[in-house]
Amino acid sequence: MQGENLTIWSLFFLEGFSRYPELEIVLFVFSLVMYLITLLGNSTLILITVLDSCLQSPMYLFLGNLSFMDICYTSASIPTLLVNLLSCQKTIIFSGCAVQMYVSLAMGSTECVLLAVMAYDRYVAICNPLRYPIVMNRQVCVQLATVSWVTGCLTALLETSFALQIPFCGNLIDHFTWEILAVLKLACTSSLLMDMVMLVVSVLLLPIPLLLICISYVLILSTVLRISSAEGRNKAFSTCGAHLTVVILYYGAALSMYLKPSSASSQEIDKVISLLYGVLTPMLNPIIYSLRNKEVKDAMKRLLGRITLHQTCENL
């Protein structure tokens, strides 16, 4: 056992969905389509928030950051999944494992904080509309976005550093990506320090931001219900509906993965949740914000109009 503990693995095997070979082609098509839609939708959202002068408010600055995170998050694991679904040997080198784990944790952690920041932005916009331009000025928005990124990247660095120092008793990971919970199951010995780090980071980035989001929306709801006009209430609900939908999807999957009892763990269920968490949610984000937001739809029409006009002028 001592010799096994000291083994330094340079290559890892990802079991993924190899127990269900008949589903791998279906999963490949599903994942590829979802990934392409994610790239297209989030790239378009970033493009219109940068190019359209009407979308320069704090909400769209945060939305652009959210879209960039979704692109990075999916790109950290989905390309590997797509290759392995068509490959007999589902392998990944150690350096690739480290990068995949860090990027996934960093983007996921940053998004947790950013969603809380976006809830605060909606709270100020609806509950204190006259002070909104002062409270949420450009400098404050950049600082809040920076805090989100720094918090997510540092906590991910902490978790990844501890996880990579643990001695592994094997190199077969029962997952389709180098997901930290699946990796820790390979540890030769339990690490109290690693368990404490995981617990502290999970509490810091899941229940606390979620609590702040809930408080923000309770205050928003109490303000909206005092609005006399139905049009005003509908407009307020419309501006918050997209963000609240994304929060429910994101935190629902994250909480079910990272804060459930270990006795309730089922690796196959974890894989499905992780796939939905890693592919479906980032794909739905730009769709939700586009369908429920008139300003975004108008900006997309203006962008398409400019592209059409440019092509017409070139043809002339």
Side-chain angles (χ1 to χ4, degrees), residues 106-150:
M107 296 304 104
S109 301
T110 304
E111 188 161 340
C112 288
V113 182
L114 187 68
L115 287 173
V117 169
M118 293 173 74
Y120 174 71
D121 171 71
R122 292 298 83 205
Y123 158 73
V124 178
I126 293 173
C127 300
N128 298 284
L130 297 179
R131 296 186 61 213
Y132 181 71
I134 300 172
V135 175
M136 298 299 291
N137 59 63
R138 185 76 180 181
Q139 183 179 359
V140 170
C141 293
V142 171
Q143 289 172 347
L144 289 171
T146 302
V147 167
S148 302
W149 279 99
V150 171

Side-chain angles (χ1 to χ4, degrees), residues 261-289:
S262 57
S263 59
S265 178
S266 167
Q267 195 59 33
E268 299 307 312
I269 294 176
D270 285 350
K271 290 178 193 176
V272 174
I273 294 174
S274 185
L275 185 62
L276 296 177
Y277 179 74
V279 180
L280 193 60
T281 305
M283 183 205 74
L284 289 176
N285 284 353
I287 296 174
I288 292 168
Y289 279 106

